Amino acid sequence: MRRYNRGVTETPQTDETRYNFRDIEERWLPVWRETQPFRSSDPTDERPTKYVLDMFPYPSGDLHMGHAEAYALGDVIARYWVQRGFNVLHPIGWDSFGLPAENAAINRGLDPRGWTEDNIAQQRASMERYACSFDWDRVLATHRPEYYHWNQWLFTRMHEKGLAYRKHSAVNWCPKDQTVLANEQVVAGLCERCDTPVTKKKLNQWYFKITDYADRLLDDLQELEGTWPSKVIAMQRNWIGRSEGADVQFRIEGRDEPIDIYTTRPDTLHGATFMVVAADSDLAAELVQGADADVKQAFDAYVEEVRAASDIDRLATDRPKTGVFLNRYATNPVNGERLPIWASDYVLADYGHGAVMAVPAHDQRDLDFARAMDLPVRVVLDVRDEDGKPVEDPATSGVAATGDGTVINSGDLDGLSKADAISAISADLEDKGLGKSARNYRLRDWLISRQRYWGTPIPIVHCDDCGEVRVPDEQLPIELPPAEGLDLKPKGSSPLGAATEWVNTECPDCGKPAKRDTDTMDTFVDSSWYYLRYLNPQKTDGPFDPEDTKKWAPIDQYVGGVTHAILHLLYSRFFTKALNDMGLVDFNEPFTALLNQGMVQMEGSAMSKSRGNVVRLGEQLDEFGVDSVRLTMVFAGPPEDDIDWADVSPGASAKFLARAWRLARDVTSEPGVDPSTGDAALRASTHKTMHECAELAEGFRFNVVVARTMELVNVTRKAIDSGAGPADPAVREAAEAVAVLLSLVAPYCAEDMWSMLGHENVARGGWLDVDESLLVEDTVTCVVQIKGKVRERLEVPPSIGEDELREMALAAPRVVRALDGAEIRTVIVRAPKVVNIVPA
RNA sequence: GCCCCCGUAGCCCAAUCGGCAGAGGCAGCCGACUUAAAAUCGGUUCAGUGCGGGUUCAAGUCCCGCCGGGGGCACCA
């Protein structure tokens, strides 16, 4: 006897009567390869359209458990809409530029192209086996020139609009990968990829001006409310971090121009006792010019110290405040007071104006600094605690009074509330030309330069005479030079610099010798617009076709992990808005709805080689079959929840599929038989199940869809064995419904059932046309409560009237006995489900 | 420190508008079939919903306060 798996053991019977997932997979995979049931590009297709998109993978070779969950869920959604009669665009591709290929090339001496293409081929085969309902005619891979050609084209459009620019500034630098990183790629001071502490480096780098779109990126989140996870919306709001306040002018003694500071608390202007400028700002460097030698020296030493500190040190919130007095003074515009100017690293050079007014009484950071440097603290807001008592003086307590209160020690403003003081002082400053309302954002511009080989070359030529020149469209794509002969090892400058022949070119404007830009683009550029390229992946005269964009975009349903909640989704939203402004698309948000699937874990923690708890997808598929693994993923719980593989049972899934499969095997009626003569109770179950499952599927509650399918399988089994019998038309109807429901999750099993039932192509089997009359119950159980406790159940017609039901309930013998003659205060009737009697 | 989400049986999870706490599954137990086992089929035990208040005729569901878990942001003025 051959052992199949834990749950299903083969008996010496023929394959026609036993569920055998291996045979079934072997039977149908070649058929699907041939028939391509999910082609979406037929121009004569009249079905309404839907665009369902899974986040594309990095081509890492085989699929793993995480992919298996993500693609199972996206697949259920896509297949559901196909069953509902839509022409569903469900494409897949590869996010194939990036460090792993380059590192593999370095470590194993392989060509990144070959390595990448091999992995893609392997991963594609895995996806086909996994029965993903992709349209294989639309495959794309971002490392191919046919794709990155349009990255370059889009870059030049951005450059034209001033949305791509170069600036010299301190950037995040990973000393291990020897590359700059975007803010988004620095997690808690560590390189997202290799966990190396990130340092700062001053470099001339390319940026996309995403901050121009900060307000729209923030405000438009409103449109996504309800269709995006609230968590992701919150994270994006957080990341953009808009703050509303005022810019206020301070004169500086010995400087012609006044400087602006940004504050959210103009009400506390009278409480400013000093000013702080960012130690690494140009302003600090300027102010220290002309100071005494010892001040200069102290400042230089301090700046050096700050520069050496890693981000991790910087991020430690309990770090003591440090700084240097610059021996310069500012004038407080509201009271003419002389404020000493300090430099410190707790003020950020690239936020606001890199300088703040310090109000130690009402700002914890300023208070910490004041206490460290022995600077004065002046309370200008009377803040009370819960009991109405004034809070302790911050100077002695060390706790800044950040709450609401009444203004004091502020001249004319005294007695105003915090809010009133803010408007009063803002208006006053504006009148005098000393201030204006202002907004600031946590969001910074998107740094896209990478000093690596395996990415899209930036289509700019540097010419001594003409400067930065965009490569004209007809010269695109600028293809990567062959990796052969280039040293790809990270060394702080792009490996492309060594490709002499490639670098040396002529200026597109003046024709003189010039050099190509040697940086490559962040791979997040690739994924910012890939969803549009799927519409015309082979198009050679543009990135996408406006007609097809109108037909398919934006995406109806996006599916992917929450790991991309900020990075990819924010960039993609930015790109879409920029494209909208350029008139290239007519919508403003790329992803109408978003579903985040959870992660697959093992025994309470993420799978990792170091923990030794990795579950291999391939082994699971071999042991339990594709359908069982998919079913297990979907049934485990709500899609957004993490799955612990130790808590679920693919063996049980296999058992259930076998049970479902046997229904089709047992049906003896002919295809096309009229179901209306069949067993009424079973028909009611079938129609009710299909009705409910539609609603459940549209709410992404696929685990419940599976549970309802199990229920239907159970009642159908019962009907075959001890009820209507296998020849009843209602049994056929039920078995066909089960096959259609299962086609969403377990396509091989469903296809085999469908074939046994005498049909072809279950994916297009079609949702049951639900007969509403079958959904109406003959009787419902009405619960009679006395003071909320159930005392009686009555079988009543669903249409029963309130009065009639009240009579019935009050007359029921058990109710009469329970009431025992007690006087009745109220009777609440909610026909036909509940009656609640409240005695006096 | 600020913000978001989640706590229902031994376990994973259900429970439209507030209306019988249980749909489905895992594990367990009992039984049928069998020489026996597997497979299959049938049956069945198990919580009062993290804790404390409140609103209501009625609260898992709504409100307030805690506790526990997960996640995001964090020297952003």
Side-chain angles (χ1 to χ4, degrees):
Chain A
M1 204 194 300
R2 198 162 98 222
R3 198 165 169 277
Y4 252 80
N5 60 49
R6 256 175 246 157
V8 185
T9 304
E10 199 191 30
T11 56
Q13 296 182 42
T14 59
D15 284 336
E16 280 70 43
T17 60
R18 304 293 303 178
Y19 172 73
N20 180 328
F21 71 80
R22 278 171 221 283
D23 292 352
I24 294 175
E25 284 176 23
E26 275 170 33
R27 190 173 311 143
W28 296 110
L29 183 52
V31 174
W32 296 338
R33 280 214 171 99
E34 181 64 34
T35 57
Q36 290 290 330
F38 299 103
R39 266 202 191 119
S40 55
S41 46
D42 176 2
T44 65
D45 201 322
E46 303 262 286
R47 295 174 292 170
T49 62
K50 267 199 195 286
Y51 189 175
V52 176
L53 184 62
D54 293 291
M55 288 182 186
F56 64 169
Y58 185 84
S60 51
D62 259 331
L63 294 178
H64 56 64
M65 295 296 279
H67 293 124
E69 188 192 5
Y71 294 127
L73 289 169
D75 212 46
V76 172
I77 296 173
R79 286 172 177 271
Y80 172 74
W81 289 115
V82 172
Q83 291 289 20
R84 297 314 303 255
F86 286 81
N87 184 12
V88 175
L89 174 57
H90 186 212
I92 193 69
W94 281 273
D95 191 12
S96 44
F97 266 142
L99 283 179
E102 197 162 345
N103 289 337
I106 294 164
N107 295 335
R108 284 172 260 174
L110 300 167
D111 170 32
R113 278 175 192 76
W115 185 89
T116 301
E117 290 292 349
D118 287 351
N119 278 348
I120 288 175
Q122 191 184 350
Q123 209 162 53
R124 174 180 171 146
S126 298
M127 286 168 169
E128 288 181 15
R129 177 189 180 191
Y130 199 61
C132 295
S133 62
F134 296 135
D135 180 346
W136 293 109
D137 290 348
R138 295 180 182 267
V139 168
L140 61 80
T142 58
H143 76 285
R144 296 177 187 154
E146 306 90 86
Y147 187 85
Y148 68 73
H149 178 165
W150 304 107
N151 270 352
Q152 293 172 335
W153 188 88
L154 289 165
F155 179 96
T156 60
R157 294 305 177 279
M158 295 277 216
H159 192 262
E160 232 169 64
K161 302 271 171 205
L163 289 171
Y165 69 98
R166 227 152 57 122
K167 76 172 170 192
H168 212 77
S169 77
V171 297
N172 300 304
W173 177 261
C174 173
K176 177 149 179 277
D177 290 335
Q178 291 279 305
T179 185
V180 296
L181 299 169
N183 267 359
E184 288 80 353
Q185 289 167 323
V186 181
V187 180
L190 302 175
C191 170
E192 173 197 49
R193 195 163 282 289
C194 67
D195 285 346
T196 307
V198 168
T199 60
K200 294 274 176 189
K201 197 169 178 175
K202 280 233 169 183
L203 283 171
N204 202 13
Q205 300 279 301
W206 286 101
Y207 291 82
F208 279 150
K209 210 163 190 191
I210 191 170
T211 52
D212 268 11
Y213 287 80
D215 279 325
R216 281 165 69 186
L217 287 168
L218 187 71
D219 296 337
D220 292 351
L221 286 171
Q222 241 169 355
E223 292 171 29
L224 306 172
E225 212 97 49
T227 54
W228 275 39
S230 59
K231 182 181 166 179
V232 175
I233 293 176
M235 283 164 75
Q236 294 225 345
R237 287 211 169 103
N238 239 330
W239 188 261
I240 296 166
R242 181 161 71 195
S243 103
E244 312 261 359
D247 285 341
V248 183
Q249 270 183 23
F250 280 65
R251 292 223 324 278
I252 308 285
E253 291 175 16
R255 188 183 198 264
D256 295 340
E257 287 293 306
I259 64 157
D260 274 335
I261 60 99
Y262 173 73
T263 179
T264 53
R265 295 292 305 276
D267 57 312
T268 62
L269 258 164
H270 287 268
T273 53
F274 55 100
M275 179 182 270
V276 186
V277 298
D280 55 343
S281 63
D282 295 341
L283 179 62
E286 181 212 305
L287 290 176
V288 84
Q289 290 301 323
D292 296 343
D294 54 332
V295 171
K296 234 185 208 164
Q297 203 173 357
F299 175 77
D300 289 344
Y302 181 66
V303 170
E304 199 38 56
E305 193 185 304
V306 167
R307 197 157 287 162
S310 69
D311 262 23
I312 312 204
D313 299 330
R314 249 187 103 97
L315 286 168
T317 45
D318 51 356
R319 203 165 58 104
K321 293 278 184 288
T322 55
V324 177
F325 177 46
L326 298 181
N327 203 19
R328 301 285 298 262
Y329 291 88
T331 309
N332 189 331
V334 295
N335 57 15
E337 271 182 11
R338 206 172 180 231
L339 304 176
I341 303 177
W342 288 68
S344 172
D345 65 349
Y346 86 89
V347 171
L348 307 174
D350 60 349
Y351 185 80
H353 306 285
V356 300
M357 66 166 190
V359 184
H362 305 291
D363 183 285
Q364 190 60 47
R365 298 153 302 188
D366 296 343
L367 181 61
D368 293 343
F369 191 80
R371 282 158 63 93
M373 304 302 165
D374 207 19
L375 294 160
V377 177
R378 184 193 309 142
V379 176
V380 292
L381 205 63
D382 179 18
V383 179
R384 305 288 173 128
D385 64 16
E386 287 152 6
D387 304 325
K389 289 187 296 207
V391 298
E392 204 188 326
D393 184 355
T396 47
S397 70
V399 180
T402 53
D404 206 343
T406 309
V407 175
I408 53 173
N409 299 327
S410 300
D412 293 349
L413 297 170
D414 285 1
L416 293 179
S417 70
K418 173 177 161 179
D420 289 345
I422 289 177
S423 2
I425 204 157
S426 301
D428 189 44
L429 288 167
E430 191 129 6
D431 283 349
K432 293 178 177 147
L434 292 172
K436 58 180 189 306
S437 64
R439 278 175 175 178
N440 267 302
Y441 306 88
R442 220 192 67 93
L443 182 72
R444 306 294 202 272
D445 275 340
W446 173 14
L447 197 171
I448 60 154
S449 307
R450 295 293 179 274
Q451 287 71 50
R452 297 302 295 250
Y453 170 77
W454 195 231
T456 306
I458 289 177
I460 291 286
V461 169
H462 298 280
C463 168
D464 287 342
D465 293 344
C466 312
E468 278 169 16
V469 181
R470 288 187 292 274
V471 175
D473 288 355
E474 60 276 11
Q475 291 179 27
L476 297 178
I478 307 300
E479 290 201 31
L480 276 174
E484 211 176 24
L486 291 183
D487 178 14
L488 301 186
K489 280 198 204 71
K491 53 188 176 299
S493 63
S494 174
L496 292 180
T500 321
E501 245 178 77
W502 183 86
V503 169
N504 288 313
T505 181
E506 53 190 40
C507 172
D509 277 2
C510 67
K512 285 194 195 139
K515 289 188 190 301
R516 293 196 186 287
D517 199 289
T518 56
D519 283 349
T520 52
M521 295 183 206
D522 181 4
T523 56
F524 276 110
V525 175
D526 311 349
S527 53
S528 289
W529 68 280
Y530 76 117
Y531 72 95
L532 290 165
R533 185 65 183 170
Y534 281 131
L535 307 180
N536 325 86
Q538 282 101 27
K539 192 175 166 69
T540 52
D541 58 352
F544 44 83
D545 186 289
E547 282 306 303
D548 285 313
T549 313
K550 277 203 181 66
K551 179 175 177 182
W552 294 104
I555 289 159
D556 295 292
Q557 183 63 56
Y558 200 27
V559 182
V562 74
T563 40
H564 293 110
I566 298 171
L567 297 162
H568 159 59
L569 293 174
L570 194 69
Y571 294 149
S572 207
R573 293 182 61 227
F574 157 63
F575 251 72
T576 303
K577 288 171 194 302
L579 292 174
N580 179 272
D581 285 353
M582 295 174 201
L584 293 170
V585 299
D586 60 2
F587 50 90
N588 203 32
E589 285 289 337
F591 312 119
T592 309
L594 172 68
L595 177 67
N596 284 136
Q597 88 281 353
M599 292 181 306
V600 186
Q601 307 186 326
M602 188 58 187
E603 287 169 331
S605 45
M607 293 183 195
S608 71
K609 276 183 200 150
S610 58
R611 277 201 191 85
N613 64 346
V614 174
V615 178
R616 290 179 177 285
L617 176 63
E619 287 171 9
Q620 299 290 310
L621 296 178
D622 291 344
E623 191 173 353
F624 302 106
V626 169
D627 285 345
S628 297
V629 169
R630 288 174 54 125
L631 181 75
T632 304
M633 295 284 183
V634 173
F635 186 52
E640 57 277 12
D641 284 10
D642 291 342
I643 297 172
D644 196 319
W645 204 248
D647 289 339
V648 296
S649 173
S653 297
K655 248 157 127 174
F656 163 69
L657 290 174
R659 207 167 132 74
W661 184 89
R662 287 194 300 268
L663 296 180
R665 180 199 64 186
D666 293 348
V667 167
T668 55
S669 58
E670 289 304 309
V673 64
D674 176 12
S676 65
T677 58
D679 183 80
L682 180 58
R683 293 206 72 210
S685 294
T686 304
H687 284 250
K688 202 174 144 210
T689 301
M690 292 302 275
H691 179 72
E692 284 184 11
C693 284
E695 263 176 43
L696 289 166
E698 282 163 45
F700 308 132
R701 292 157 65 208
F702 309 118
N703 54 325
V704 189
V705 169
V706 173
R708 294 280 176 269
T709 309
M710 288 173 168
E711 230 174 324
L712 182 58
V713 167
N714 289 345
V715 301
T716 310
R717 182 80 257 160
K718 229 171 244 174
I720 292 173
D721 290 349
S722 54
D728 191 288
V731 167
R732 163 168 283 277
E733 186 182 47
E736 289 181 353
V738 167
V740 168
L741 286 169
L742 279 183
S743 76
L744 311 184
V745 187
Y748 288 103
C749 177
E751 192 76 88
D752 213 53
M753 289 176 72
W754 201 238
S755 159
M756 281 191 284
L757 290 164
H759 307 295
E760 268 177 30
N761 192 7
V762 73
R764 295 273 287 269
W767 206 255
L768 182 69
D769 205 359
V770 173
D771 181 345
E772 300 278 339
S773 70
L774 291 171
L775 303 180
V776 183
E777 316 256 0
D778 294 342
T779 63
V780 290
T781 306
C782 174
V783 177
V784 185
Q785 301 174 329
I786 295 175
K787 272 178 78 179
K789 280 194 174 158
V790 180
R791 287 299 159 87
E792 180 62 294
R793 286 162 225 270
L794 304 169
E795 290 301 312
V796 298
S799 57
I800 193 165
E802 269 192 26
D803 295 338
E804 194 186 346
L805 188 57
R806 182 183 293 114
E807 296 302 307
M808 264 182 83
L810 289 172
R814 255 190 280 182
V815 173
V816 172
R817 211 174 317 130
L819 283 171
D820 196 24
E823 208 167 308
I824 294 164
R825 190 154 56 117
T826 358
V827 181
I828 284 114
V829 183
R830 290 285 176 273
K833 292 186 77 178
V834 68
V835 176
N836 195 2
I837 302 164
V838 189

